[in-house]
């Protein structure tokens, strides 16, 4: 499928992030559609190395759904679409009984038969090991030597309430270069009303702190620094206050309070046109009259309010976004493009990279679409999150260079 690997072409890489929480609520319709669209993406881009980072593995009722997770993974490992990927590593955090460790993250890696020399890092032995066969690990990931996993410290969590948020890091070497892949899930906006109160919202500050924690961890002195890709559900949101000011610039606002004088609901109405209601906001309601603004031209007119990455502009890069907000889509299997009226649509699911990782991306002058950053299943229901992917090629010696015969990595000469 991936075709013969040549030095001129480079190694085809496909990175995919997918919050799969919805898939385990509707196995018959949603999961089958999701897998079909995922396989089509793989077959379209024909990668030599495929990385799938999942969040919310098992969904909301993970205790009941873990058997479904195992079946989901077995389907991936035995599928015809991936039959030429005879080596695989699957890491599933299924330890839901351990509140201080459980992240519900799943990191799955598939290696095409034509990619001959690939190694994975052993964080305990501090050396690379050749990847052979297929392995699945779902118990005590904390002690698995081929990954680093952490849940955020409890005081990072809003109101110090545990939730399934953290990261998993793996390290790979191929085509004479090495890099880290980090699966991440950051905190969500608990209340639309709180998010609206100030710009930027207090939630964005919590996510900023958690992301800085991860970046500091993966670039500290314990291991050699390498190029890295961080991809997952960042839960980045648009600046709610600023977006609402734009969407409702000519509207009046009515505030509805509870008996305790707390804000329960905000209602925005046009000043004329029979005072038509254009937006209603509650804790978990964001009902805007015209969803087309989030789909038209892929919602790019709202990218100016996507500001949460700006504080990391020296540390993280991203390809230009050309797809609509990835969340929150309807979970109705007949609604592929409809957003739910629960949150303001936003680009939650992202693939980010370090400056040195960006330098690894190969863009031949004669290939129009050598780098593709897009979503999966744009016209069908994929759950409340649309998966996002990055397809690219790397050439031998890009980024970090491997000295033959040794497990030492150094900067490649400029």
């Amino acid at each position: 499928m991936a075709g013969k690997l040549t030095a001129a072409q480079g190694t085809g890489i496909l990175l995919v992030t997918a919050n799969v929480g919805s898939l385990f609520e509707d196995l018959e319709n949603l999961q089958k559609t999701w897998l079909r669209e995922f396989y089509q993406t793989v077959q379209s881009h024909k990668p030599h190395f495929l990385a799938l980072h999942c969040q919310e593995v098992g969904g909301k009722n993970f205790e009941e759904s873990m058997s479904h997770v195992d079946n989901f993974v077995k389907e991936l490992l035995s599928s015809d679409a991936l039959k030429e990927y005879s080596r695989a590593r699957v890491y599933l955090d299924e330890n839901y009984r351990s509140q201080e460790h459980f992240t519900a993250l799943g990191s799955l890696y598939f290696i095409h038969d034509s990619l001959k020399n690939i190694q994975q890092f052993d964080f305990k032995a501090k050396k690379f090991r050749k990847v052979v066969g297929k392995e699945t690990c779902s118990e005590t990931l904390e002690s698995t030597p081929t990954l680093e996993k952490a849940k955020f410290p409890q005081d990072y969590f809003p109101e110090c309430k545990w939730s399934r948020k953290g990261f998993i890091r793996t390290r790979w070497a191929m085509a004479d270069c090495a890099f880290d892949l980090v699966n991440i899930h950051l905190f969500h906006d608990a209340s639309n009303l709180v998010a609206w109160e100030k710009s930027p919202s207090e939630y964005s500050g919590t996510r900023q702190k958690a992301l800085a924690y991860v970046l500091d961890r993966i670039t500290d002195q314990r291991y050699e620094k390498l190029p890295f890709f961080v991809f997952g559900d960042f839960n980045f949101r648009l600046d709610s206050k600023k977006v609402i000011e734009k969407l409702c610039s000519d509207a009046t606002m009515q505030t509805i309070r509870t008996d305790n004088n707390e804000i329960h609901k905000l209602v925005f109405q046009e000043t004329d046109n029979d005072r038509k209601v254009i937006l209603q906001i509650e804790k978990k309601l964001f009902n805007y009259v015209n969803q087309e603004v989030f789909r038209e031209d892929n919602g790019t007119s709202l990218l100016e309010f996507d500001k949460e990455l700006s504080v990391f502009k020296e540390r993280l890069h991203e390809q230009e976004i050309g797809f609509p907000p990835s969340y929150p889509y309807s979970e109705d299997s007949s609604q592929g493009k409809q957003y739910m009226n629960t949150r303001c649509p936003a680009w939650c699911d992202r693939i980010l990279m370090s400056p040195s990782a960006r330098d690894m991306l190969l863009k031949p002058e004669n290939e129009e679409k050598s780098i593709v950053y897009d979503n999966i299943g744009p016209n069908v229901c994929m759950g409340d999150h649309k998966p996002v992917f990055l397809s690219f090629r790397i050439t031998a010696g890009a980024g970090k260079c491997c000295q033959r015969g040794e497990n030492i990595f150094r900067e490649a000469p400029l």
Side-chain angles (χ1 to χ4, degrees):
M1 178 202 294
K4 192 172 181 181
L5 181 60
T6 67
Q9 291 175 324
T11 304
I13 309 288
L14 181 63
L15 309 180
V16 181
T17 179
N19 184 313
V20 293
S22 301
L23 300 194
F24 305 98
E25 316 293 326
D26 182 0
L27 301 176
E28 190 57 38
N29 296 308
L30 210 50
Q31 194 170 116
K32 285 183 178 178
T33 300
W34 191 100
L35 286 165
R36 184 190 71 228
E37 295 290 325
F38 173 72
Y39 293 146
Q40 285 179 0
T41 302
V42 174
Q43 289 167 334
S44 174
H45 293 275
K46 300 178 173 56
H48 301 98
F49 181 82
L50 165 62
L52 170 61
H53 283 179
C54 297
Q55 305 82 40
E56 292 196 33
V57 169
K60 297 176 182 68
N61 303 310
F62 38 85
E63 191 166 353
E64 301 160 19
S65 299
M66 281 309 172
S67 62
H68 300 318
V69 172
D70 295 339
N71 291 335
F72 176 70
V73 171
K74 285 176 185 173
E75 156 63 33
L76 285 166
L77 290 172
S78 62
S79 68
D80 279 346
L82 300 181
K83 65 184 178 183
E84 294 179 17
Y85 295 79
S86 58
R87 290 160 291 170
R89 293 293 181 270
V90 176
Y91 304 106
L92 300 170
D93 186 1
E94 296 182 335
N95 189 17
Y96 57 84
R97 291 184 181 87
S98 177
Q99 200 174 45
E100 68 271 25
H101 294 301
F102 183 50
T103 62
L105 293 173
S107 297
L108 299 85
Y109 306 98
F110 304 88
I111 298 118
H112 193 268
D113 294 344
S114 64
L115 186 55
K116 299 303 180 187
N117 185 23
I118 181 165
Q119 297 176 308
Q120 187 179 10
F121 194 65
D122 183 320
F123 286 93
K124 287 188 169 55
K126 293 192 175 183
K127 63 181 180 181
F128 283 87
R129 302 186 187 280
K130 190 173 182 180
V131 178
V132 293
K134 295 181 179 180
E135 294 179 7
T136 299
C137 181
S138 59
E139 298 295 325
T140 58
L141 293 188
E142 286 73 24
S143 59
T144 302
T146 47
L147 61 82
E148 179 185 12
K149 170 186 171 250
K151 193 164 183 170
F152 296 115
Q154 189 168 9
D155 61 348
Y156 278 50
F157 288 78
E159 300 173 3
C160 287
K161 290 181 180 177
W162 283 121
S163 63
R164 298 162 290 170
K165 304 294 188 291
F167 76 93
I168 291 177
R169 163 164 73 151
T170 56
R171 176 168 283 194
W172 303 85
M174 67 190 80
D176 293 335
C177 65
F179 50 83
D180 287 345
L181 300 178
V182 183
N183 187 355
I184 192 169
H185 194 184
L186 298 181
F187 308 105
H188 70 295
D189 282 13
S191 168
N192 295 325
L193 295 169
V194 173
W196 162 82
E197 285 175 357
K198 60 181 181 178
S199 170
S201 81
E202 66 177 61
Y203 299 123
S204 69
T206 305
R207 287 187 286 271
Q208 178 182 327
K209 182 181 176 184
L211 181 52
Y213 172 85
V214 174
L215 296 180
D216 291 344
R217 277 285 294 268
I218 65 175
T219 58
D220 63 18
Q221 300 303 313
R222 292 170 302 144
Y223 308 101
E224 185 175 1
K225 292 181 184 179
L226 290 181
F228 61 82
F229 297 86
V230 186
F231 49 115
D233 180 0
F234 292 85
N235 261 314
F236 290 156
R237 306 301 169 99
L238 303 183
D239 187 321
S240 188
K241 193 171 183 64
K242 299 291 187 184
V243 169
I244 291 167
E245 286 174 1
K246 177 173 181 175
L247 297 178
C248 305
S249 57
D250 297 324
T252 59
M253 185 182 78
Q254 178 187 3
T255 304
I256 300 171
R257 296 182 179 271
T258 65
D259 293 340
N260 299 327
N261 204 35
E262 294 177 350
I263 296 176
H264 167 66
K265 187 173 188 176
L266 301 174
V267 180
F268 295 84
Q269 296 172 287
E270 292 184 354
T271 50
D272 48 19
N273 195 23
D274 295 328
R275 298 190 56 75
K276 179 182 176 183
V277 173
I278 57 175
L279 175 64
Q280 299 177 77
I281 301 175
E282 295 178 13
K283 181 179 180 180
K284 294 185 178 181
L285 175 75
F286 189 93
N287 190 356
Y288 185 60
V289 69
N290 178 24
Q291 279 198 6
E292 202 55 42
V293 70
F294 302 108
R295 292 187 290 261
E296 187 178 3
D297 196 25
N298 294 318
T300 49
S301 66
L302 298 171
L303 276 171
E304 65 176 296
F305 305 111
D306 179 69
K307 299 177 178 178
E308 294 196 31
L309 258 183
S310 59
V311 71
F312 297 102
K313 62 186 178 187
E314 303 299 324
R315 305 178 75 180
L316 291 170
H317 294 277
E318 182 178 27
Q319 291 297 112
E320 184 177 344
I321 291 176
F323 50 89
S326 62
Y327 172 85
Y329 281 92
S330 169
E331 294 171 302
D332 182 337
S333 58
S334 67
Q335 299 290 336
K337 292 186 172 184
Q338 187 77 14
Y339 288 106
M340 286 192 285
N341 292 325
T342 52
R343 309 286 184 191
C344 178
W347 288 272
C348 294
D349 308 272
R350 314 279 277 264
I351 298 176
L352 311 178
M353 66 201 80
S354 64
S356 54
R358 183 185 57 176
D359 294 341
M360 289 168 51
L361 270 64
L362 169 68
K363 190 172 184 181
E365 295 301 318
N366 59 350
E367 276 193 47
E368 280 285 312
K369 289 193 171 182
S370 58
I371 302 175
V372 183
Y373 188 36
D374 207 347
N375 64 12
I376 297 177
N379 300 313
V380 296
C381 180
M382 301 289 284
D384 57 349
H385 289 256
K386 295 279 190 199
V388 169
F389 74 89
L390 178 67
S391 175
F392 61 96
R393 291 181 176 273
I394 54 174
T395 50
K400 289 275 182 169
C401 179
C402 175
Q403 294 180 328
R404 292 193 179 276
E406 299 179 34
N407 286 315
I408 300 171
F409 286 80
R410 59 178 181 175
E411 288 288 342
L414 296 173

